[in-house]
Amino acid sequence: IAMAATRSVMRAVRVFEFGGPEVLKLQSDVLVPVPKENQVLIKVHACGVNPVETYIRSGTYARKPALPYTPGSDVAGVIESVGEHVTAFKKGDRVFTLETLSGGYAEYAVAAASRVFPLPDKLDFRQGAAIGVPYFTAYRALFQKGCAKAGESVLVHGASGGVGLAACQIARACGLKVLGTAGTEEGMNVILRNGAHQAFNHRDPNYTERIKECTGPEGVDIIIEMLSNVNLDADLQLLSRAGRVMVVGCRGRIEINPRDTMSKESSIIGVSLFLATEEERRECATAVLDGIEAGWLKPVVGLEYPLEKVAKAHEDIICSSGARGKMVLLL
């Protein structure tokens, strides 16, 4: 009798119900996925942790995956095998992803080949796991949605996290005047080292006044906003004429006065990488890969966790006193 080939198993984080960080269960008997047509299987070395993954896990986000699922989209690792019709990659290639199909908090992940990119030798796997969502989101917020131009000013509100540092690096490389806020001295130093011309501590009660002193009566052209439920009202006071706030992150409701947008004809624009078209994603990828090659795109890795500590990572990304770089899981 022909024996069926036994499929190997792996460690992966599974979510069986929506809820707090405690619903993240590490299991050691999950089947290794098999890549289908136009897909690749990646042996994961590192996986980024993004705030959006905590919103999805809690069940409060607009997109709800079918349960059970494995979170995680930004992985970096090595191609293990490829499905039919995949010609761009082969076993052994170093890669990073923008998203995965099977979930990134796992030892192996399947991804569509079109969402996988070569990871240059100058970056390690930890840095590779810090590229996908942060840099694509920052580029989309600045250029595809924010229409940023060289010579304009940008305020990155919450600049010391993954998306914030990506926005600082990209904006500086593209000729914008870059201002950033962080919640700690260390965070401020990190953003100054990564493209910001000036840094402000958003825990200082007068920090918005300091920003106004810096921008003068003109105000700031673009604000990249990670915590709009806290800052949006103040952001509208900081904008220039025809200025725009790019809403990248939000954790609740806020009251604003719409008249503040009328007096300057300013805009509040939501940003979602999930809504990018194929063409827009390719544009982001080109910009990102060019940045790596040119040397100005250097992901900053912050806190690192083993897979066993995934619940702690989800707690810390929402509750920590101040980010400094991209949070990653190491496998």
Side-chain angles (χ1 to χ4, degrees):
I1 298 165
M3 297 291 288
T6 55
R7 272 177 64 190
S8 46
V9 294
M10 63 174 181
R11 293 187 313 144
V13 173
R14 302 291 282 158
V15 174
F16 293 91
E17 58 179 327
F18 296 113
E22 70 282 352
V23 302
L24 298 161
K25 305 290 186 199
L26 179 58
Q27 301 197 300
S28 53
D29 57 353
V30 179
L31 285 176
V32 173
V34 175
K36 300 191 177 80
E37 204 177 336
N38 299 315
Q39 296 176 357
V40 299
L41 178 67
I42 299 164
K43 182 171 179 19
V44 178
H45 287 256
C47 180
V49 180
N50 296 294
V52 69
E53 287 145 26
T54 70
Y55 313 152
I56 293 169
R57 181 216 69 226
S58 70
T60 59
Y61 197 63
R63 292 184 324 127
K64 277 198 185 73
L67 296 168
Y69 77 99
T70 295
S73 55
D74 296 334
V75 310
V78 174
I79 298 280
E80 180 73 17
S81 62
V82 301
E84 272 187 280
H85 310 309
V86 174
T87 54
F89 301 103
K90 62 183 185 312
K91 184 176 165 66
D93 286 350
R94 286 163 44 93
V95 294
F96 72 92
T97 67
L98 177 59
E99 60 187 65
T100 67
L101 295 163
S102 59
Y105 297 7
E107 289 176 326
Y108 291 90
V110 159
S114 62
R115 302 283 191 277
V116 178
F117 308 96
L119 179 65
D121 290 336
K122 62 169 94 166
L123 299 181
D124 63 28
F125 291 118
R126 293 155 49 252
Q127 291 174 302
I131 300 172
V133 169
Y135 283 88
F136 282 60
T137 300
Y139 182 86
R140 182 167 179 76
L142 282 163
F143 298 105
Q144 292 178 339
K145 294 291 161 191
C147 305
K149 293 183 182 61
E152 286 192 314
S153 57
V154 59
L155 169 65
V156 184
H157 220 157
S160 61
V163 176
L165 287 168
C168 288
Q169 290 178 2
I170 294 171
R172 180 66 182 253
C174 295
L176 282 91
K177 181 183 179 183
V178 185
L179 314 176
T181 75
T184 63
E185 198 64 41
E186 190 185 0
M188 288 165 69
N189 290 331
V190 169
I191 63 184
L192 288 168
R193 285 199 300 273
N194 284 279
H197 292 88
Q198 278 183 281
F200 304 87
N201 188 330
H202 52 221
R203 293 181 199 282
D204 167 0
N206 299 318
Y207 84 98
T208 54
E209 294 311 312
R210 294 183 203 286
I211 292 172
K212 283 178 184 166
E213 282 164 24
C214 176
T215 60
E218 292 83 56
V220 68
D221 297 306
I222 303 171
I223 298 177
I224 307 290
E225 183 53 71
M226 311 304 163
L227 199 59
S228 47
N229 54 300
V230 172
N231 300 321
L232 188 57
D233 188 49
D235 288 342
L236 295 175
Q237 322 298 322
L238 294 172
L239 285 177
S240 65
R241 243 184 100 170
R244 45 265 186 225
V245 181
M246 313 309 301
V247 177
V248 171
C250 183
R251 296 179 190 170
R253 303 174 77 84
I254 186 172
E255 191 171 303
I256 62 164
N257 184 348
R259 180 161 290 169
D260 292 336
T261 64
M262 294 160 62
S263 58
K264 296 172 179 171
E265 292 196 326
S266 55
S267 314
I268 300 166
I269 302 168
V271 180
S272 172
L273 188 56
F274 299 119
L275 297 177
T277 63
E278 197 58 53
E279 195 181 344
E280 286 171 330
R281 265 193 294 265
R282 273 201 298 274
E283 183 195 334
C284 289
T286 303
V288 164
L289 294 169
D290 283 355
I292 296 171
E293 201 178 319
W296 57 256
L297 194 158
K298 287 202 184 85
V300 179
V301 177
L303 296 169
E304 301 172 7
Y305 299 79
L307 212 47
E308 297 75 23
K309 294 275 198 308
V310 63
K312 179 85 174 95
H314 267 223
E315 212 170 291
D316 290 351
I317 199 165
I318 295 301
C319 304
S320 73
S321 62
R324 50 172 207 294
K326 171 76 183 229
M327 186 180 280
V328 296
L329 299 171
L330 297 180
L331 287 96

